[in-house]
Amino acid sequence: MHLLHSSLTSTSSGFFLVSTAIITLVIPITLPILEALPNFPEHQWNLVKAPATWKTYQQLEKKNEKLQTNLQFAKSHVQACKMMLEGTQAQLVLQNLHLHKTLQTLFNHKTHKKNDWSLLFNGKVQVLSSDKFWQKIQEQAEQKEAEVAQKVKNAKLRGMRKDALAAMEQERLKIKQDHD
């Protein structure tokens, strides 16, 4: 969680991943940080498998100390693994948020329709009283009408296909009934 919090606060726009601000290509995807385990002393697993023979009090105390030391090393090792796992999960959350923001931006960019003015002026200065200006407005209106007519035509074609498929299905059912 510390890594997640520090990564979110260290970005140039603060909490941009959880905001509604548009993401740009200027904001890079955070690269994964692959950590290696710290160098811990090797565990002495043979202490666990020692034969149960008779031992003196001092021998048992020494063995107990060795077991405690090895248990502390194992505990440190487990804590380091947990912290590495937490950091990796935080990185995945950040990368997932960044991916969703990028996909949202791409989707918005792809589905964004240009308004009439951007199509009309094409980024250039226009004299609004010229004949070319009114001609462009008429061309846009005609283009919109053509698009609407094409949508109506496509809807009729879909309806005709649907009716044809329904008729074919009825004929198939009739043939099947006659066959049985």
Side-chain angles (χ1 to χ4, degrees), residues 16-164:
F16 78 95
L17 291 173
V18 291
S19 70
T20 57
I22 296 175
I23 195 170
T24 62
L25 294 176
V26 176
I27 304 169
I29 297 173
T30 54
L31 296 175
I33 301 169
L34 303 175
E35 301 177 52
L37 278 174
N39 292 330
F40 289 115
E42 204 53 43
H43 299 299
Q44 296 178 356
W45 296 110
N46 59 353
L47 291 174
V48 176
K49 298 178 182 178
T53 59
W54 188 88
K55 295 184 180 183
T56 64
Y57 182 75
Q58 287 83 14
Q59 289 174 331
L60 288 174
E61 279 187 342
K62 279 186 179 180
K63 184 175 179 178
N64 193 15
E65 287 175 12
K66 287 181 183 178
L67 285 171
Q68 284 179 348
T69 304
N70 275 305
L71 186 60
Q72 287 174 350
F73 290 150
K75 181 182 177 185
S76 300
H77 189 263
V78 168
Q79 286 176 340
C81 287
K82 282 184 179 178
M83 290 176 67
M84 286 175 56
L85 185 62
E86 182 181 321
T88 304
Q89 289 172 343
Q91 288 177 14
L92 284 174
V93 168
L94 277 174
Q95 289 174 347
N96 188 32
L97 287 170
H98 195 281
L99 175 68
H100 283 292
K101 286 291 273 190
T102 306
L103 288 175
Q104 179 185 11
T105 302
L106 286 173
F107 178 76
N108 289 342
H109 180 68
K110 197 169 196 170
T111 59
H112 176 72
K113 292 185 178 180
K114 291 185 176 181
N115 62 13
D116 293 342
W117 301 111
S118 63
L119 292 173
L120 190 63
F121 296 128
N122 199 18
K124 298 178 183 175
V125 177
Q126 297 284 326
V127 177
L128 299 180
S129 61
S130 71
D131 291 335
K132 288 181 181 180
F133 174 76
W134 292 110
Q135 183 182 1
K136 284 186 179 184
I137 289 179
Q138 287 176 344
E139 287 174 4
Q140 272 190 349
E142 290 170 1
Q143 185 179 9
K144 283 183 180 181
E145 288 173 5
E147 288 175 2
V148 168
Q150 184 65 34
K151 285 182 181 181
V152 169
K153 181 180 174 184
N154 289 343
K156 285 181 182 178
L157 287 175
R158 280 193 304 270
M160 289 171 49
R161 279 192 214 123
K162 191 174 181 180
D163 293 341

